[in-house]
Amino acid sequence: MAFQTPLTISEVITNIDSKKYLLPSIQREFVWSTNQITKLFDSLMRDYPINAFLFWKVSKENINEFRFYEFLRDYHQRKKRHNEKANLNGSEDIIAILDGQQRLTSLYIGLKGSYAYKLSYKRWDNDQAYPVRKLYLNLLTASEDPENEYEFEFLTESEAENKEDDLEHHWFPVGKILDLKEQSEVNEYLIENDLSSNQDKAKAKFANRALFKLHSVIHTTAIISYYLEQSKELDKVLNIFIRVNSGGTTLNYSDLLLSFATAQWDKRDAREEINQFVDEINEIGRGFNVNKDFVLKACLVLSDFSDISFKVDNFNKSNMLKIQADWDDITKAIRDAMRLIASFGFSRENITSNNLIIPIAYYLKHIGLPDNFEISSSKINDRAKIKKWFTLSLLKRVFSFMPDGVLKPVRDIIIKNDTGEFPLEQIIQHFKGGNRNLAFTSDEINNLMYSKYGQGNTLVIMSILYPWADLRNNFHIDHIFAKSGFTKRKLEKRGVPSESIGLYLENYNYIGNLQLLESIPNIEKSNMDFDKWIDETIPAGAVDEYKTKHYIPKHMNLGIINFQQFLEEREKIIIDKLQQALL
């Protein structure tokens, strides 16, 4: 391994663009945030070192012995996070990146591509939540962030062209610097955009200095220092990769384990299979949020390995080949388990630990992977037991620490079970009295009344209170007394005593004021007073049935003035139902 003559960034970008530089299959995927990318560019502009890179020269004779991927150019947080497999037919020698992929991808995205991340106030499955953004540099003023000198930002085209703040911002598209190869072209850009003649001399000087510095960083200064490994032995290259990447926090451990799988599977591409599978199952139902860690852990459990801990020794060649051989059954079991959980109404919004899904997948694999388990009429009792175990485990948070302490014993119980159904009672009995106890006490049930609107636990509790609701349909958690009415001014206007207003405002979001309604009735109810909505919407002969169904106290005035009494009475009814279900 020898140190090479450093390269300019423009040379490296050209090599990435022409696919001379590629990523070996043992590399993890791109994980940097926009903030990390802007800090990298700021560091370059300030002449800060960005450490050496490690490249691996692969001769054209040996290219087909390995798998390689292209650099990611246009990153999309939901739709495009995976690198495409490189087509190397007729290729010459290539350079594979062993260390420095995150930095090089960041440079490539900043200079040639885009970055689409989710807006915080929009749903993850909304295409409009991911506007395409490119990297820009403000040529008029320095950054207000004390950690950065230059203001680099990922902006949409419309944000960059916004003229309302022309005095403080001129957003230069960073990728355009690749077109300004000569210093004279930099001068021409400054003149054409009136930056060199800015009446504010300080801003004119800053623009001149910033754009020429960017030109120097990209085109002139040989910044990319690197070592070159030329070995043809995969084992040696893999060991170098592990030594370089596992010594710090630069490599996520699951990525390292996936690297082992990728290198050792001989009939499938582990990286491609696992990434595609993660994307697929995250789209089930209303969406899940599982990752490679979950799939790798599930593989260890479902393959019946005695040791299911996350460590390199468990990802040896024989284990990985067994996982490869069982891959179709493993993925069907996980897929069917997630469809079942989705049919219970659970999704990424209310599952506190994805590890809960693994025992269900193991059970389905253990009983032979029956088709249509989630809808089969012969499996009603079985599904009810699985749902109860899942619900109890969520509420008791038994997977909140050291999940192997649950996964292994539950797997053993499933293996020994001969009841013909999910061994709910045996699991509850096994953990009884310990710190993963699934049995509820009366005090714990009373504490569930403090679950609030918007919390994950709330839908779990609703699934117990509304066992008849098919949560695959569009049900909403609704405030019985509309939350819009809970302001101090509105409550005073309704005649609520001033000494009670604080209690009203503190309690309207708790479970005692929540019910499950289908979306259309919920929309119709909207902000109507509850007593008025019942009178106008529920037929007179069906009012008692509605109140029973929704745990509404009977024979009391349902005006807002009685909210405190309503809350107390309804919580008693709910607690009684939860005791029947959970004690």
Side-chain angles (χ1 to χ4, degrees), residues 1 55-66 68 93-94 98 228-238 240:
M1 188 186 304
F55 295 173
W56 171 32
K57 184 177 181 180
V58 185
S59 65
K60 60 183 178 182
E61 293 81 12
N62 295 315
I63 281 177
N64 292 329
E65 295 183 23
F66 312 103
F68 298 96
D93 297 351
I94 64 166
L98 293 181
L228 185 65
E229 172 60 44
Q230 301 192 58
S231 174
K232 299 178 182 179
E233 300 175 20
L234 178 59
D235 286 344
K236 179 181 179 183
V237 173
L238 182 60
I240 292 171

Side-chain angles (χ1 to χ4, degrees), residues 290-445:
V290 303
N291 55 21
K292 297 188 294 289
D293 296 50
F294 165 80
V295 174
L296 290 169
K297 174 63 76 174
C299 286
L300 293 174
V301 177
L302 270 66
S303 296
D304 284 308
F305 298 140
S306 57
D307 188 349
I308 60 172
S309 56
F310 248 25
K311 58 185 182 182
V312 172
D313 290 349
N314 285 336
F315 287 79
N316 56 54
K317 191 170 186 67
S318 61
N319 282 0
M320 293 316 304
L321 291 177
K322 185 178 189 315
I323 291 172
Q324 179 182 238
D326 293 346
W327 181 246
D328 289 338
D329 285 348
I330 290 171
T331 53
K332 180 175 177 7
I334 297 171
R335 189 184 298 112
D336 289 352
M338 296 185 76
R339 285 174 178 162
L340 178 62
I341 298 308
S343 76
F344 296 158
F346 295 105
S347 67
R348 62 190 288 131
E349 296 173 0
N350 47 50
I351 294 181
T352 54
S353 173
N354 291 320
N355 285 316
L356 276 159
I357 301 167
I358 296 177
I360 300 173
Y362 185 85
Y363 174 71
L364 295 177
K365 184 171 181 282
H366 181 70
I367 63 174
L369 296 171
D371 291 328
N372 301 318
F373 183 90
E374 78 274 14
I375 59 173
S376 172
S377 59
S378 65
K379 301 295 183 182
I380 292 175
N381 290 336
D382 215 2
R383 289 197 298 272
K385 289 186 175 184
I386 292 173
K387 181 178 179 180
K388 185 164 185 176
W389 173 79
F390 192 83
T391 301
L392 290 173
S393 299
L394 272 176
L395 292 176
K396 298 284 281 189
R397 297 185 180 274
V398 298
F399 280 87
S400 61
F401 63 99
M402 299 181 68
D404 290 2
V406 182
L407 290 171
K408 286 191 71 175
V410 170
R411 184 179 67 176
D412 292 342
I413 292 169
I414 290 172
I415 292 171
K416 297 172 184 176
N417 174 50
D418 58 3
T419 65
E421 290 184 346
F422 187 79
L424 171 66
E425 294 80 8
Q426 295 94 315
I427 294 172
I428 292 176
Q429 186 62 35
H430 177 85
F431 291 105
K432 195 171 183 178
N435 56 5
R436 301 183 195 269
N437 187 9
L438 289 169
F440 271 82
T441 65
S442 294
D443 285 343
E444 286 174 327
I445 289 176

Side-chain angles (χ1 to χ4, degrees), residues 190-191 193-201 204:
L190 292 168
I191 294 169
N193 290 275
D194 297 325
L195 295 171
S196 57
S197 59
N198 193 314
Q199 291 183 351
D200 187 326
K201 297 302 180 186

